[in-house]
Amino acid sequence: MKLRYIYKFVIAAVFALSCSPQANAGASAADVMTKAANQIKSAKGILCKFTLAADGSKVSGTLKSTGTKFALLTNAYSTWYNGKDMWTYNASSKETTLVKPTIAELREVNPLEYIKGYSTDYTPSFSKKKLNGKYVINLTPKKKSNEVKSMELILNAGSFKPEKLSLNLKSGVNTTVTINSINYNSPNKVSDFEYPKSQYPKVKVIDLR
């Protein structure tokens, strides 16, 4: 009797695990993406610590965002977008470029934009890859003109927060953004999204607007 009881308990436990968030719990990929996107859109202020890997190189940085504005800071380059103009400082060339960015350009700099605006350009589907406690979603471009060939997004199944974004570009470049931490209630300041001229007094600003 005891062995029979233990056997039933094990079967029940296995069944419970198979019904965990990794099994999608009946939600569609679009439902999951919408929840993830809405959290980002409604966030009071975002503070994200990330690691970006591409072409064999790796860089760590910080992303701050409020509404459409954001600032992305790394040792190699930094970008500030105030909702209208975008400054990008290149530590190697010691130059800063100033542009009025397109939506595509904003996404290239701020990976969270891919999630926020996914429904316009991408069709989501669940990946065959299964990770316990995660949603693994493939984002397929709707238009052939899209520079992104394929994209994989890993979300925490409990919080719907992004954990990793992998992009395969038509150019052959593969980029992976690993999100080490993300806070949706960061008290960001308006000045965080303006180019800090005082920090770069001798840096030439190239206006391409």
Side-chain angles (χ1 to χ4, degrees):
M1 288 296 292
K2 288 184 178 180
L3 287 176
R4 186 177 180 183
Y5 174 80
I6 293 173
Y7 177 76
K8 285 184 176 181
F9 177 81
V10 171
I11 292 297
V14 171
F15 178 77
L17 286 174
S18 69
C19 294
S20 66
Q22 71 166 352
N24 305 332
S28 69
D31 291 335
V32 172
M33 284 300 302
T34 297
K35 287 183 179 180
N38 286 342
Q39 281 194 151
I40 293 174
K41 291 176 183 177
S42 61
K44 176 183 177 182
I46 296 174
L47 175 60
C48 173
K49 302 288 185 179
F50 68 90
T51 301
L52 186 150
D55 289 339
S57 61
K58 186 178 291 187
V59 62
S60 295
T62 299
L63 170 68
K64 288 186 177 184
S65 177
T66 298
T68 60
K69 303 175 183 179
F70 68 86
L72 186 146
L73 311 174
T74 75
N75 290 330
Y77 63 90
S78 294
T79 299
W80 300 263
Y81 178 61
N82 62 8
K84 179 182 178 182
D85 297 319
M86 185 169 76
W87 294 263
T88 299
Y89 169 68
N90 187 318
S92 178
S93 64
K94 304 298 182 183
E95 292 181 340
T96 295
T97 56
L98 172 58
V99 301
K100 286 188 181 299
T102 63
I103 293 176
E105 289 172 333
L106 290 175
R107 287 178 180 172
E108 287 177 2
V109 180
N110 182 359
L112 295 182
E113 289 294 327
Y114 283 110
I115 302 173
K116 286 173 64 176
Y118 88 91
S119 60
T120 302
D121 299 312
Y122 297 92
T123 300
S125 61
F126 286 118
S127 171
K128 292 181 179 180
K129 181 191 299 184
K130 303 297 181 183
L131 296 175
N132 189 38
K134 316 292 181 186
Y135 285 118
V136 185
I137 296 176
N138 292 327
L139 293 169
T140 304
K142 293 180 179 180
K143 298 180 180 179
K144 293 182 179 180
S145 59
N146 197 318
E147 291 301 313
V148 176
K149 185 177 180 180
S150 62
M151 192 186 320
E152 181 187 89
L153 174 66
I154 297 178
L155 298 167
N156 183 290
S159 65
F160 294 94
K161 289 183 176 180
E163 295 186 351
K164 181 177 287 189
L165 179 66
S166 301
L167 295 97
N168 180 12
L169 304 181
K170 289 181 179 177
S171 63
V173 176
N174 296 318
T175 302
T176 299
V177 180
T178 301
I179 297 177
N180 304 313
S181 66
I182 187 165
N183 176 10
Y184 288 155
N185 292 293
S186 177
N188 300 333
K189 299 176 293 185
V190 174
S191 59
D192 290 335
F193 312 115
E194 295 287 347
Y195 178 61
K197 296 180 182 179
S198 60
Q199 293 183 26
Y200 308 99
K202 297 181 179 181
V203 173
K204 181 180 180 180
V205 177
I206 302 173
D207 194 336
L208 301 176
R209 292 176 295 179

